[in-house]
Amino acid sequence: MKTKYFIFAASALVALASCSNDEYIGDNNGLTAEQGDGSIQFSSNLPNATRAGEFIGADAATKLGGMFVVEGTKGTEQEQSPSTTVVFDNYLVGYTANTAGTTESNTQNWEYVGKQTGIDGKLSSTTWTALHPSGAQVQTVKYWDYSVDQYDFIAWSTGGLEAVTDAAVSGSKVKVTRINTGTALSSTSAPGAFTLTAASAADLMKCYYTDINTVLKANYGQPVTLTFKNMAAKVRVALYETVPGYSVKDVQFYTAEASNVAKPEDLAYNKSTTATLFTLGDDKLPQSGSVLVYYPHIGTDDRGTAGPPAVAQAADYNKASIIVDPDASTVTTQEFGTLTANYTGRETTYEVDDNIYLGRDVTHATYAGPAANNYYTAVIPNTTGMPLTLRVNYTLVSTDGSNEPIKVYGAKAVVPATYTKWQPNYAYTYIFKISDNSNGWTSTDATNDPAGLFPITFDAVVTNFVDANAEQTTITTVATPSITTYQQGHNHANKDEYSKTQTAGASTDKKDLYVQVMDNSTATPTLKTDLKGTGATEGKKSLLYKITGTAPISEATVMDALQNRKQAYTTATPINGRNGMILTNNANIANNVTSIVNGVNDQPITVTEGTTAKIDIDNDGVTTGTYAYVYANTVPTSDEVVYNVASVSNDGEAENYWEVDPSSDLSLTADGTAQADKVYFVENLDAEGHSYAPKSFTFKQTKLGDSVTGLYEATIDVSTASKATTYTAGHFYFDVYYQNNGAYAVKVIKVVE
């Protein structure tokens, strides 16, 4: 059992595994194998979230409610089943402290002899009888039979709830079936090996089951230790933000997709304060149901042999699997509690309110729900998975002391179905990041106003004359897919964000980082399938860049560097952004992935090629530092050469720029539109519309295709023209960058040791 963490980052709202939490963690002091007098005895344990320890003895008994039911067989393993001669026919085993050694069948405080009378409040004699329609009538002592090769044991427990066999399932009762034997163990038809039905996920959280425990002759005489796994899964949700200059408060959650995002009332009103994930369409999340347990790979056909020829053992040999039959009457959205009690304090001393803001990095993410349960919510297992949507409104508050608020509406991220396959006995953490590349609206007029956060920027032009006609046009393209990053065993509590040296699971190998992209711009979000696809000179749709340079790092600044570069994108290796950011292409990313290393028993998740990127994080080429995963949502098809007036003075800086001398370089344009190799000027006129003597000019920012009729122009050929050498008063100086029309989704990734 391992704990998995997912960070879900959208270029907009950018954002496992035992079911145990801190409440379950205990020390494993080891089990002492005591040689008995030939009778069979039982003991039990429950592994915690990280395998660092297990619950044994009284602690395990408390979790199991002091009881379990066991089926035990003996003999020789069959081709498609374990041994088949019944020894323990659905025996009830009960725990009583300080009774070890009082009978020959009890050395660990667990007793089975005579338990057909039941245990009050846990399993009645009527239920016991119903579990034995044609089998054992009483429970007697059993002895090891050294003439057979092996024994095989399976068990379940309803914890502190009462096990019943009728339909009276409630908050205190769980419906159970008898444990089957033989080939029935691998059946996916009801009841499978056995079935448990609970009225809620919280009830299912108290129920346990085991894999097949095979005891070989060398271990006869020792207590049979059964390791129980929880029937339910656990999920928790957290958010954090990285918006420069602002804190985030008042997060409100949608409980369903807005019926029409163009209608202000669908976005504007305050939503629920309860953290909610929802599905689209008819697939909903059940809150109760039946869990069928079966064993898909059993017997000598799946055990594997040393050969020759060698036959590999099935990866889940003798391990239990489950099929959930959800109660359709209880399907709904999934709630996780509120964030209110878990907000963090001020970011700066200028903020006036304490403890009302989201955490500001992944290590301090704000979790929903009660801290007492380590923020986990019990859920019904969902082994098929389905895309889950988070949609929120929130308020940005400036951290500069002005406390300026901006309300953001309808920001959305979608978790791919790959990462929502909730297995029993595992815990899942979903972390969502709100960045400065949000896809929410700051206006409720979604029809006419754009989605996203757009920084207010300034430029300054200093001339000898009053600038009455200055104009600046800024064009920004904002990508919208949600980006999901996942690393098995990711330890977000200590590492920000992904570690090169962490180990996880049964393997000690360093774990790769996987990326998937969800298109959440449509009514039904879909997983991008073209990560492997080519992207003109970009090479492919899915890219990895190491980030260096002087620019502050965020999703939005990476986007700006990609779209506004110091050189044409056809030669952009590395990319030098106009903002000072340098993006160096890193080759340690594969886009032909067909499986993801998963945390559930170290079994891989099969994925369709082209849907997943893998970052080889333990490769020497992926050094510690900050990276950008980039998905080329639309491939660039053109470049504009854009000119900015540079602020220079007589201090030698002029030599970095292209120079225009208005007295000789300007000519009046004819009718036409702006060209890529020219800059344009407006003549300054007095109040009566007359030219000054001598004439003076103001630079006019244009983009390709703008009308420049009546303007003055100068040609700048960046491929051949010499830059200025010294500063001359009255001249204009220009910096250039290349603006492409590619649309990108970006996720900033930090790699640490």
Side-chain angles (χ1 to χ4, degrees):
M1 292 172 288
K2 296 155 278 288
T3 300
K4 294 193 214 172
Y5 300 93
F6 296 114
I7 294 185
F8 296 99
S11 44
L13 182 70
V14 184
L16 295 191
S18 159
C19 207
S20 307
N21 57 26
D22 290 346
E23 175 189 350
Y24 292 112
I25 294 176
D27 294 327
N28 181 5
N29 298 316
L31 292 173
T32 302
E34 300 181 8
Q35 190 70 33
D37 60 1
S39 62
I40 300 175
Q41 309 95 27
F42 292 96
S43 64
S44 65
N45 63 2
L46 292 96
N48 70 10
T50 62
R51 292 189 186 272
E54 295 178 332
F55 286 104
I56 60 174
D59 292 334
T62 298
K63 296 296 179 185
L64 297 175
M67 61 80 69
F68 61 83
V69 169
V70 62
E71 179 75 14
T73 59
K74 70 176 183 179
T76 301
E77 188 173 22
Q78 307 300 299
E79 290 181 352
Q80 296 179 344
S81 74
S83 55
T84 55
T85 300
V86 175
V87 180
F88 292 88
D89 178 17
N90 284 268
Y91 269 35
L92 172 62
V93 185
Y95 183 88
T96 304
N98 302 316
T99 60
T102 58
T103 68
E104 61 182 345
S105 52
N106 176 4
T107 62
Q108 302 289 323
N109 294 315
W110 288 99
E111 178 63 85
Y112 57 85
V113 173
K115 290 296 182 179
Q116 70 275 1
T117 57
I119 300 174
D120 289 343
K122 304 296 174 62
L123 192 153
S124 67
S125 59
T126 300
T127 296
W128 187 90
T129 300
L131 295 176
H132 299 80
S134 59
Q137 300 302 305
V138 295
Q139 293 189 184
T140 60
V141 63
K142 297 291 184 176
Y143 296 94
W144 294 103
D145 182 355
Y146 282 84
S147 70
V148 299
D149 299 325
Q150 68 184 58
Y151 283 75
D152 296 280
F153 299 92
I154 299 171
W156 54 252
S157 173
T158 55
L161 304 178
E162 182 178 359
V164 297
T165 53
D166 57 26
V169 176
S170 66
S172 61
K173 300 179 187 296
V174 176
K175 185 178 180 180
V176 299
T177 67
R178 64 178 280 110
I179 304 172
N180 290 306
T181 59
T183 57
L185 295 174
S186 62
S187 174
T188 57
S189 300
F194 57 89
T195 300
L196 273 64
T197 305
S200 68
D203 288 352
L204 200 63
M205 180 69 75
K206 299 176 182 178
C207 299
Y208 296 87
Y209 66 105
T210 72
D211 294 330
I212 296 174
N213 181 19
T214 296
V215 179
L216 301 178
K217 187 180 296 187
N219 294 314
Y220 291 0
Q222 300 180 16
V224 177
T225 300
L226 296 171
T227 299
F228 288 83
K229 299 189 289 188
N230 200 276
M231 276 273 188
K234 296 195 305 185
V235 174
R236 60 181 178 176
V237 167
L239 294 90
Y240 72 103
E241 59 92 3
T242 60
V243 183
Y246 289 85
S247 292
V248 172
K249 70 173 185 177
D250 295 338
V251 180
Q252 291 129 6
F253 298 86
Y254 288 64
T255 57
E257 183 65 282
S259 60
N260 183 348
V261 296
K263 294 172 60 179
E265 58 267 31
D266 282 338
L267 292 169
Y269 71 87
N270 289 340
K271 308 296 178 177
S272 171
T273 58
T274 300
T276 304
L277 295 179
F278 59 86
T279 62
L280 300 176
D282 296 330
D283 292 328
K284 302 298 182 183
L285 298 168
Q287 303 301 303
S288 65
S290 297
V291 178
L292 181 152
V293 178
Y294 71 106
Y295 300 85
H297 292 102
I298 53 178
T300 57
D301 285 355
D302 296 311
R303 183 177 62 191
T305 61
V311 178
Q313 185 178 98
D316 56 352
Y317 169 73
N318 273 5
K319 293 186 179 298
S321 292
I322 63 116
I323 296 174
V324 177
D325 182 15
D327 183 346
S329 67
T330 65
V331 295
T332 183
T333 57
Q334 188 66 56
E335 297 182 348
F336 299 93
T338 68
L339 300 172
T340 305
N342 306 322
Y343 282 124
T344 60
R346 306 177 188 179
E347 181 175 2
T348 71
T349 57
Y350 303 114
E351 291 174 321
V352 297
D353 297 310
D354 285 322
N355 303 319
I356 62 171
Y357 302 109
L358 282 184
R360 294 163 186 88
D361 59 66
V362 69
T363 61
H364 300 92
T366 300
Y367 285 86
N373 296 321
N374 206 16
Y375 308 107
Y376 282 110
T377 295
V379 297
I380 300 294
N382 173 25
T383 57
T384 57
M386 60 188 72
L388 296 180
T389 297
L390 175 86
R391 191 158 200 180
V392 294
N393 297 340
Y394 58 89
T395 300
L396 295 168
V397 180
S398 175
T399 60
D400 64 356
S402 66
N403 295 307
E404 171 227 353
I406 300 176
K407 186 67 177 285
V408 178
Y409 304 96
K412 181 170 71 172
V414 180
V415 183
T418 305
Y419 298 115
T420 65
K421 297 177 181 180
W422 296 338
Q423 300 290 340
N425 200 49
Y426 280 78
Y428 299 82
T429 297
Y430 298 102
I431 303 177
F432 297 88
K433 179 168 74 171
I434 297 175
S435 76
D436 53 357
N437 196 31
S438 174
N439 60 2
W441 283 263
T442 58
S443 166
T444 56
D445 185 1
T447 301
N448 298 308
D449 295 327
L453 296 178
F454 300 90
I456 299 172
T457 63
F458 296 93
D459 195 2
V461 177
V462 179
T463 69
N464 296 328
F465 303 95
V466 176
D467 179 5
N469 300 295
E471 178 182 336
Q472 179 174 331
T473 301
T474 301
I475 301 173
T476 305
T477 302
V478 178
T480 59
S482 301
I483 299 177
T484 299
T485 51
Y486 163 67
Q487 181 187 44
Q488 183 185 4
H490 173 60
N491 186 356
H492 85 282
N494 300 314
K495 303 297 184 183
D496 181 20
E497 295 178 352
Y498 294 100
S499 171
K500 284 175 64 66
T501 56
Q502 64 87 33
T503 58
S507 171
T508 59
D509 295 336
K510 300 166 188 175
K511 302 302 180 182
D512 293 321
L513 180 63
Y514 296 92
V515 186
Q516 289 189 320
V517 181
M518 285 292 291
D519 183 357
N520 57 6
S521 63
T522 57
T524 302
T526 56
L527 188 65
K528 291 288 189 181
T529 61
D530 58 354
L531 272 61
K532 187 183 177 184
T534 59
T537 54
E538 295 292 350
K540 52 180 88 77
K541 297 292 288 288
S542 183
L543 300 157
L544 180 67
Y545 292 100
K546 180 72 175 288
I547 303 175
T548 56
T550 59
I553 298 174
S554 71
E555 273 79 11
T557 56
V558 172
M559 193 87 72
D560 187 80
L562 290 165
Q563 293 176 321
N564 303 286
R565 318 179 185 194
K566 290 288 189 179
Q567 73 279 76
Y569 74 83
T570 54
T571 59
T573 306
I575 295 168
N576 292 288
R578 66 169 179 181
N579 57 12
M581 179 175 290
I582 300 172
L583 302 175
T584 304
N585 196 298
N586 191 289
N588 295 296
I589 181 171
N591 298 301
N592 57 348
V593 178
T594 57
S595 66
I596 295 173
V597 176
N598 189 25
V600 180
N601 295 325
D602 281 330
Q603 298 303 304
I605 302 173
T606 300
V607 294
T608 303
E609 188 174 12
T611 66
T612 307
K614 181 179 74 172
I615 300 173
D616 190 3
I617 200 167
D618 69 325
N619 189 289
D620 291 339
V622 181
T623 58
T624 58
T626 304
Y627 291 79
Y629 170 80
V630 175
Y631 172 77
N633 195 36
T634 62
V635 178
T637 57
S638 66
D639 249 352
E640 295 180 16
V641 181
V642 183
Y643 302 90
N644 281 339
V645 169
S647 176
V648 301
S649 59
N650 191 16
D651 59 4
E653 290 184 357
E655 64 187 15
N656 296 319
Y657 303 101
W658 280 266
E659 182 179 16
V660 170
D661 178 1
S663 66
S664 61
D665 295 341
L666 298 188
S667 60
L668 188 65
T669 67
D671 293 344
T673 57
Q675 305 300 306
D677 61 346
K678 300 184 185 301
V679 288
Y680 298 90
F681 298 84
V682 176
E683 182 184 1
N684 296 319
L685 305 175
D686 62 19
E688 296 179 353
H690 300 137
S691 298
Y692 289 96
K695 289 185 176 183
S696 64
F697 301 91
T698 297
F699 169 67
K700 181 176 178 61
Q701 182 77 42
T702 60
K703 63 181 182 293
L704 290 181
D706 282 353
S707 173
V708 292
T709 301
L711 300 182
Y712 288 78
E713 70 178 17
T715 300
I716 298 181
D717 185 351
V718 296
S719 64
T720 60
S722 299
K723 293 186 178 181
T725 56
T726 59
Y727 170 78
T728 302
H731 288 200
F732 289 89
Y733 296 90
F734 294 91
D735 193 8
V736 303
Y737 64 90
Y738 294 77
Q739 184 179 77
N740 70 63
N741 64 352
Y744 304 94
V746 174
K747 170 67 167 65
V748 172
I749 297 168
K750 294 180 182 178
V751 175
V752 299
E753 287 295 342

